[in-house]
Amino acid sequence: MSQSAEKSPDGCFCMRGQTLLSFLICSALACLVFQTGSVLAGDWPQLLGPNRDGIAVGETLAERWSRNGPESLWQQEVGSGFAGVAVAGDRVILFDREGPSEVVRCLDSESGKQLWKSESPCRYQGGVSGDKGPRCVPLIAGHQVFTFGVEGRLQCLTLNDGKTIWQRDTTKDFRPLEGYFGVGSTPVLYKNLLIVNVGGRADETAIVAFDASSGKTAWTSFTDHASYSSPIVADIGGAPTAVVVTRLNVTGLNPETGKILFTFPFGARGPTVNGATPVVLGNHIFLSASYNIGSLLLRFDGQSATEVRRDEELLATQYATAVKAPRIPGVPDRIVFAIDGRQDSGRGSASLKCIDVIAGKVLWEETGLDYGTVIRSSNDLIILTCTGELIRAEASPGKYSEKSRHTVLNATDSGYRLPALSGGRLYIRDDSVLKCLQVGK
């Protein structure tokens, strides 16, 4: 923690003086970017990319990769954790564990050279997985970097030099129950509010919004434990809506006030996990989880919500978020690509499905894949499996068409860490190394 920090009455640590003033100016810029929904082409500043939907903006992949796969530009050793990187401009933010500390590192995107490093103490020793965290992808907004650690430490750093602006100990402040894998739901930023799936033990502290400039609590809402699904904010039915999947529910809220707009049961008690992020298709919200939970489709018109369909067979994905198909002018979004299955079911047990969500129909299915994650760049799907394979396939609702397949990582469980695509470079990591691959222009 910076020596110029002081603790406020509600438990947040803030910096004094000129640094804070500069931070507030930067924060105002960040608010403008996230409020309007505009992003810089080529940036991947948060979980699942610029719009938190797994789709790259302004990226053009090379027509073909070489016979040996995309060129590796550089690689860096990393510590433990399941967090993928965030990228803005020439800066790559890595969040990992090094001994008794959680570490935020800023790397140069051209060379991989470390520009700065910020450490915070961490005593977490691993849950069911044994990995010591962290889980959450960093979030870059303007000149701010937000991270959410495996023990519940929420902090804001400066992108330029990694100085601490504020910190909150959400475990101390809200006393959530410890999950199977520690804390693992990446916050989302709306205007100047950082919305976090905290899962506080007291009533109406499941979802908490923090002032992004100061770290102070802005509002609290809902009652449930936390999940590993990350919240989104999207315009649904003409209204900005925060959609948060908690331990046993999905709820929609007004992101400015925390007012609950709808709630539906989603999840199951016992050793289960809600891990995938909600997907918005027009006025519809699509959810999926494994552990005999399956999928749920809701319709929300900005005023009221309706449950359209529950289906255990359509899609049951352990943590990989579905990705929308390329937009067809004049045709509403209704088709997604998704990895079906579980990582712990063994090699070759997963499949890639193309699903018409509105009709509740699988258009095609490619079986025999290893579990992993999927993102999209224009008309290409990029699949990173837990066994280190990088698969490129057409994002076509007509049939499965694979363009290439290469082993790019050696360690297992690489698919836990979401890849990031920015500036023609694909950033991937496993248990020990972060690689930067040249995949496009």
Side-chain angles (χ1 to χ4, degrees):
M1 187 181 302
S2 168
Q3 292 181 351
S4 61
E6 61 182 8
K7 190 171 183 179
S8 69
D10 71 344
C12 94
F13 289 88
C14 304
M15 294 185 71
R16 301 194 194 104
Q18 187 175 1
T19 305
L20 179 57
L21 176 61
S22 301
F23 168 74
L24 292 175
I25 294 172
C26 296
S27 178
L29 176 62
C31 291
L32 176 63
V33 172
F34 277 77
Q35 179 179 355
T36 59
S38 61
V39 295
L40 295 175
D43 279 352
W44 194 275
Q46 61 173 331
L47 173 89
L48 292 169
N51 296 307
R52 198 165 278 217
D53 57 4
I55 300 172
V57 175
E59 290 291 329
T60 303
L61 297 183
E63 184 176 352
R64 291 183 182 85
W65 296 336
S66 74
R67 182 178 302 176
N68 297 322
E71 177 189 0
S72 179
L73 300 179
W74 53 262
Q75 66 180 50
Q76 287 284 359
E77 292 184 359
V78 297
S80 65
F82 296 153
V85 302
V87 187
D90 61 355
R91 304 215 159 194
V92 179
I93 302 298
L94 170 68
F95 190 29
D96 62 2
R97 178 75 178 270
E98 188 177 87
S101 300
E102 284 184 323
V103 182
V104 185
R105 311 171 196 270
C106 181
L107 310 177
D108 177 76
S109 63
E110 292 279 348
S111 64
K113 178 182 177 181
Q114 182 172 291
L115 303 177
W116 54 256
K117 174 180 177 180
S118 176
E119 299 183 52
S120 299
C122 182
R123 295 174 295 180
Y124 183 76
Q125 293 302 308
V128 173
S129 72
D131 183 275
K132 296 181 180 181
R135 318 291 186 214
C136 299
V137 177
L139 191 160
I140 306 171
H143 294 278
Q144 308 166 74
V145 176
F146 301 95
T147 61
F148 194 28
V150 71
E151 290 184 310
R153 177 182 288 104
L154 183 67
Q155 65 177 345
C156 177
L157 310 174
T158 57
L159 178 60
N160 183 53
D161 54 15
K163 295 292 176 55
T164 302
I165 302 299
W166 55 259
Q167 291 185 355
R168 289 292 299 269
D169 186 342
T170 62
T171 298
K172 180 180 178 181
D173 294 343
F174 301 100
R175 300 185 302 111
L177 293 178
E178 184 174 329
Y180 295 116
F181 308 98
V183 172
S185 175
T186 300
V188 67
L189 185 66
Y190 174 75
K191 295 187 177 180
N192 199 40
L193 295 175
L194 196 65
I195 301 172
V196 185
N197 190 352
V198 169
R201 201 169 300 185
D203 288 345
E204 298 186 357
T205 57
I207 305 163
V208 182
F210 299 88
D211 184 286
S213 300
S214 66
K216 294 181 179 179
T217 303
W219 54 254
T220 66
S221 185
F222 202 58
T223 302
D224 196 1
H225 303 309
S227 74
Y228 292 91
S229 172
S230 298
I232 61 170
V233 178
D235 193 321
I236 311 174
T241 306
V243 182
V244 186
V245 178
T246 58
R247 178 74 174 88
L248 297 172
N249 296 277
V250 55
T251 184
L253 308 95
N254 180 319
E256 296 195 32
T257 65
K259 178 184 176 182
I260 296 174
L261 305 175
F262 62 82
T263 299
F264 292 88
F266 185 72
R269 298 187 183 278
T272 69
V273 170
N274 287 334
T277 300
V279 178
V280 174
L281 302 105
N283 289 2
H284 290 84
I285 303 165
F286 182 63
L287 311 170
S288 183
S290 190
Y291 310 95
N292 299 315
I293 297 169
S295 61
L296 170 64
L297 181 66
L298 306 174
R299 182 170 56 245
F300 180 56
D301 62 9
Q303 301 294 324
S304 61
T306 305
E307 181 177 312
V308 178
R309 180 186 309 107
R310 290 181 186 264
D311 192 328
E312 290 189 25
E313 301 299 326
L314 186 66
L315 179 68
T317 186
Q318 190 175 23
Y319 56 79
T321 300
V323 174
K324 291 185 290 187
R327 188 73 186 270
I328 300 174
V331 179
D333 289 332
R334 59 186 297 151
I335 296 173
V336 302
F337 303 96
I339 301 289
D340 192 21
R342 289 173 56 167
Q343 186 270 337
D344 52 359
S345 293
R347 300 192 63 166
S349 62
S351 65
L352 177 67
K353 288 183 175 181
C354 178
I355 303 171
D356 184 330
V357 169
I358 307 304
K361 181 180 179 182
V362 176
L363 302 181
W364 55 256
E365 179 177 10
E366 178 69 12
T367 60
L369 299 180
D370 296 337
Y371 194 79
T373 55
V374 58
I375 61 175
R376 178 169 69 78
S377 175
S378 188
N379 294 316
D380 284 290
L381 299 176
I382 299 174
I383 303 158
L384 179 64
T385 73
C386 289
T387 50
E389 281 191 317
L390 185 67
I391 301 172
R392 181 176 176 181
E394 290 185 12
S396 169
K399 64 177 181 178
Y400 177 75
S401 180
E402 188 173 301
K403 294 183 175 182
S404 64
R405 182 185 296 228
H406 304 280
T407 298
V408 292
L409 293 170
N410 294 322
T412 58
D413 295 342
S414 55
Y416 279 128
R417 294 98 178 177
L418 284 162
L421 177 58
S422 176
R425 302 181 181 96
L426 186 71
Y427 301 87
I428 58 175
R429 60 159 295 193
D430 56 24
D431 295 330
S432 59
V433 67
L434 168 68
K435 285 188 176 182
C436 174
L437 306 180
Q438 185 72 49
V439 296
K441 298 180 181 178

